[in-house]
C-alpha cells in the first residue's frame, strides 16, 4: 500500500499544526512555510481536514487553524481516511462493487476484511502526538 501525495501532505500538515497545540491558531501560510508545501495545497488540505473534523478553521481577523481535539486523540488512520476514504487494500470488500472477474469464486475475498482491519488498526495505533514528537529534531 502506498499513500497518495495528498495523504502524505495531510500528515505533514497535521504534524505542523500539532506543534502549535495549546489553543494557538496558525495560518495556512505559516503551515505552508513550515512544511515546505505550497499554500494552495495547504488550503485544500485545511478544507478537507476541517470537513473530517480534525481541525478547526476560523476565517478573518483573529482566525486561523487549530486542531479540533488534542493531538493524542487524533491518529494516523483518522488523517489518512480524511483524505483517502476508508482504508482498504482491495475494492472488493466495498458494498456494491462488482467489478472483479474473480468475485463469484474468490476464496480470499472473505478474508480481506480482516486484513483491512489489521491495517487500519496499525495506523490507528500511531497518534498525531507521537508523529509530531518524532519530527522534532534534537539539537546536535
Amino acid at each position: 500500500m502506498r499513500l497518495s501525495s495528498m495523504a502524505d501532505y495531510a500528515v505533514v500538515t497535521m504534524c505542523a499544526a500539532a506543534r502549535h497545540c495549546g489553543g494557538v491558531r496558525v495560518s495556512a501560510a505559516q503551515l505552508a512555510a513550515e512544511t515546505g508545501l505550497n499554500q494552495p495545497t495547504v488550503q485544500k488540505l485545511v478544507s478537507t481536514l476541517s470537513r473530517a473534523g480534525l481541525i478547526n478553521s476560523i476565517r478573518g481577523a483573529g482566525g486561523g487553524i487549530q486542531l479540533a481535539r488534542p493531538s493524542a486523540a487524533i491518529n494516523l488512520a483518522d488523517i489518512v481516511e480524511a483524505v483517502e476514504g476508508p482504508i482498504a487494500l482491495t475494492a472488493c470488500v466495498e458494498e456494491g462493487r462488482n467489478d472483479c472477474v474473480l468475485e463469484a469464486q474468490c476464496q480470499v475475498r472473505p478474508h480481506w476484511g480482516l486484513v483491512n482491519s489489521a491495517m487500519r488498526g496499525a495506523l490507528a495505533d500511531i497518534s498525531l502526538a507521537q508523529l509530531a514528537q518524532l519530527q522534532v529534531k534534537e539539537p546536535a
Side-chain angles (χ1 to χ4, degrees), residues 31-110:
L31 288 177
E34 289 177 18
T35 61
L37 297 170
N38 65 47
Q39 192 168 339
T41 298
V42 172
Q43 288 170 327
K44 181 177 180 178
L45 288 168
V46 164
S47 177
T48 300
L49 295 166
S50 181
R51 277 193 309 275
L54 298 178
I55 58 172
N56 295 320
S57 177
I58 300 161
R59 293 181 180 249
I65 300 157
Q66 65 186 156
L67 297 180
R69 52 188 193 257
S71 60
I74 299 171
N75 61 55
L76 187 51
D78 295 332
I79 301 167
V80 171
E81 286 181 331
V83 176
E84 302 276 346
I87 295 168
L89 296 179
T90 63
C92 67
V93 295
E94 296 174 21
E95 290 295 321
R97 292 288 299 251
N98 299 310
D99 57 355
C100 179
V101 297
L102 301 176
E103 187 171 4
Q105 72 274 6
C106 183
Q107 300 293 313
V108 179
R109 184 174 185 228

